[in-house]
Amino acid sequence: MENGEKKLQPLTKNKEQQLDVSYWNERWKMSETGWDTGFASPSITNYLSQYPNKEAAILIPGCGNAYEAEYLLLNGFTNITLIDIAPKAVEGLQAKFENQEGIRILCEDFFLHQGTYDLVIEQTFFCAIDPEKRMSYSNKMVSLLNPHGKLIGVLFNRAFTHQGPPFGGDLLEYHSIFEPNFEITTMAECYNSVPARIGSEVFINLQKKQNREFAS
C-alpha cells in the first residue's frame, strides 16, 4: 500500500450495510486495524499541548486504541469521552483505562450520541464513514459542540486507489463540507504527520459558527 497504509477488507456492493457494527467489530477481531499507527498523532498532541483548559469536555469519536486519550490523561485533562461502535474495540479500551478517573468509554454510534463538548478530536474517524454521510458528520459535530466549541484533528489529503475504507478527500471538498457550520481557523497540510502519512494529511482547527444548532 502507498504511504505505508494497510488495506482493509474491501466492501461488498452493499456498502451501507457493510460499514456497521459487524463490519468494524470483525476488523478488530481479525486485527485488521491498518489505521492504527501505535501512538498519538503529533499534529494533535502539538495542538493539545497548547490547549489551556484541562477541565474541558473532550470527545474522541471512532477512537480505536485512543492514543490521544492517553496523552490527555498524562497531561492532566479530566473530562474525556471516547466512542467506538465496535464492542471488541471498547473491550480493549475498558481494559486499558480500567479504574482511570476522568475518562468515559461508550460503545455506540456517533450519529446517535447525545452530549455537549468544548473540543472534539478527529483522528481516522471521518475517513472511515461512508462519504455520503460527510455532511451529516459536519452537522452532527455542530450539534455536539458548545457555542465556542472546536473540532480539531487530521484528515487525509489524498485519493486512495482501492475501494474504501479509508476514504480520501481534498481541501476543496472539505471546505464545502465544513464552511456552512464552522469558521475555519486552520485547514492546511500537516508539517508534522506520522512518517507513513507525510504529505497526505491536513490539519483542521474549526470553530463552531454562532447560531448553528442542530437537533442531536
Side-chain angles (χ1 to χ4, degrees):
M1 285 294 295
E2 300 172 63
N3 290 336
E5 295 292 333
K6 297 178 182 178
K7 185 175 180 179
L8 300 181
Q9 177 177 305
L11 299 179
T12 65
K13 291 182 179 180
N14 191 346
K15 177 175 62 177
E16 183 64 27
Q17 181 179 351
Q18 284 293 309
L19 292 178
D20 56 10
V21 174
S22 296
Y23 175 85
W24 292 110
N25 206 49
E26 189 65 17
R27 304 287 72 72
W28 283 95
K29 287 181 177 180
M30 300 297 292
S31 297
E32 294 177 359
T33 54
W35 61 86
D36 191 304
T37 61
F39 51 89
S41 165
S43 303
I44 294 173
T45 57
N46 183 64
Y47 175 87
L48 295 173
S49 71
Q50 304 169 60
Y51 192 85
N53 183 8
K54 302 293 186 179
E55 298 178 355
I58 299 175
L59 172 67
I60 309 178
C63 62
N65 279 313
Y67 302 113
E68 284 73 22
E70 291 181 70
Y71 176 89
L72 288 167
L73 290 170
L74 286 171
N75 286 274
F77 289 85
T78 61
N79 188 359
I80 305 158
T81 298
L82 305 179
I83 298 176
D84 205 285
I85 199 170
K88 186 65 175 177
V90 170
E91 179 183 309
L93 292 170
Q94 290 169 338
K96 176 186 284 190
F97 297 112
E98 186 177 10
N99 301 321
Q100 174 69 61
E101 295 183 0
I103 193 163
R104 178 174 62 143
I105 302 166
L106 304 175
C107 185
E108 62 181 55
D109 186 332
F110 163 77
F111 291 97
L112 302 177
H113 180 64
Q114 303 289 314
T116 52
Y117 299 92
D118 301 302
L119 183 69
V120 181
I121 297 173
E122 166 55 51
Q123 164 66 310
T124 65
F125 175 57
F126 180 86
C127 71
I129 63 174
D130 186 335
E132 293 179 2
K133 289 187 173 182
R134 288 182 168 181
M135 197 65 231
S136 296
Y137 169 104
S138 179
N139 290 341
K140 182 64 178 180
M141 285 295 181
V142 165
S143 76
L144 292 172
L145 286 168
N146 288 323
H148 298 287
K150 292 184 177 183
L151 167 63
I152 69 99
V154 289
L155 305 174
F156 278 117
N157 185 28
R158 57 165 294 191
F160 290 95
T161 56
H162 63 272
Q163 185 179 19
F167 302 99
D170 57 43
L171 289 170
L172 183 64
E173 177 191 2
Y174 299 155
H175 274 276
S176 70
I177 290 168
F178 293 110
E179 280 182 338
N181 295 326
F182 294 90
E183 300 291 348
I184 298 177
T185 303
T186 305
M187 186 179 285
E189 183 176 336
C190 288
Y191 65 87
N192 54 355
S193 294
V194 298
R197 297 177 184 169
I198 290 174
S200 65
E201 287 186 314
V202 293
F203 181 79
I204 57 170
N205 180 353
L206 314 177
Q207 181 163 331
K208 177 178 176 174
K209 284 184 175 180
Q210 298 304 297
N211 302 316
R212 296 299 291 178
E213 299 294 342
F214 295 86
S216 297

